[in-house]
Amino acid sequence: MGSATPQPQAYVGELPPGAIGIEFYTDVQPHGGTVDGHARWWPTDPGVVLVDDEYAKIAIIVTKNTHPKA
Amino acid sequence: MQQLSLDEWPMGLEEDALQVALEPDEITRRTNLRFERGRDSLDEFDGAVVALDEGQSFAFQRHVHSPTRGTTVLLRQGSRDELRALINLVSLTKKDITWMAPHIETELASVLRDGQRGGRRIALALVTLGAAGAVRKLISGRAKRTRADRKNKLQA
């Protein structure tokens, strides 16, 4: 829902206190920039790799991971 | 123009085109669109999808944990008709728009300019009609006075 194309997405900024998720850096430029506080990468963008037409991935450096299984 | 459910989200409608400084409730107040809660690969969001008559469409999306205020509008590339319909539907002005994707800048400026020209045309037409009414009143007032003067003269 929202999009049929696999797209990595992220909010811009630090993970809020108590939130579950990962905080990361990436050199891969988001599609259209991040001005609206939201980063979205298209499979056709440089640095985005489409996997089996089901997932899209980008290279990141994780700086925080608050997932319970982490 | 009709509203679609989030389950009917059109294929290819996934380009962040605009960020408007309006929260979903303000958009609902202006348009009567109903926002539904959905979920995408990032997070839960409140969304509303609008379909135009010729299969064109646009959508509003507000992720619930977004660090910024406002609502994102998704449009297809080169969608001038959708842009015009969106601006008319929400009565968007330049000051409502807090961000626009680079590919849409020229079209948006053109559509906003057309809208302003239309507004001026209407205003001018109203002024002209008003002036015509005033002229008619002046003429009819003068005619009444002339008839009254003649009557008065006759009676005199």
Side-chain angles (χ1 to χ4, degrees), chain A residues 2-3 5 11 35-36 40 42, chain B residues 9 14-16 43 68 99:
Chain A
S3 169
T5 311
Y11 291 130
V35 182
D36 60 351
R40 192 192 294 259
W42 283 23
Chain B
W9 193 290
E14 51 198 19
E15 178 99 2
D16 289 359
D43 199 354
T68 56
W99 173 81

Side-chain angles (χ1 to χ4, degrees), chain A residues 24-36:
Chain A
F24 63 93
Y25 287 99
T26 183
D27 289 331
V28 183
Q29 290 297 314
H31 192 93
T34 58
V35 182
D36 60 351

Side-chain angles (χ1 to χ4, degrees), chain B residues 52-126:
Chain B
L52 306 182
D53 295 337
E54 293 85 23
Q56 300 151 320
S57 54
F58 55 85
F60 299 94
Q61 190 177 39
R62 169 82 169 99
H63 282 96
V64 296
H65 295 109
S66 175
T68 56
R69 295 186 61 79
T71 302
T72 302
V73 181
L74 293 96
L75 285 169
R76 288 190 176 87
Q77 287 209 18
S79 47
R80 191 184 169 89
D81 290 344
E82 285 100 322
L83 198 52
R84 188 178 291 115
L86 162 76
I87 285 167
N88 289 337
L89 177 68
V90 193
S91 304
L92 280 183
T93 62
K94 228 184 235 178
K95 70 178 172 57
D96 293 323
I97 297 166
T98 52
W99 173 81
M100 71 187 85
H103 73 267
I104 216 163
E105 277 179 35
T106 310
E107 284 189 21
L108 180 67
S110 162
V111 169
L112 286 172
R113 220 172 22 242
D114 287 351
Q116 281 173 351
R117 260 193 229 126
R120 275 202 293 276
R121 268 202 296 276
I122 290 164
L124 279 173
L126 287 174

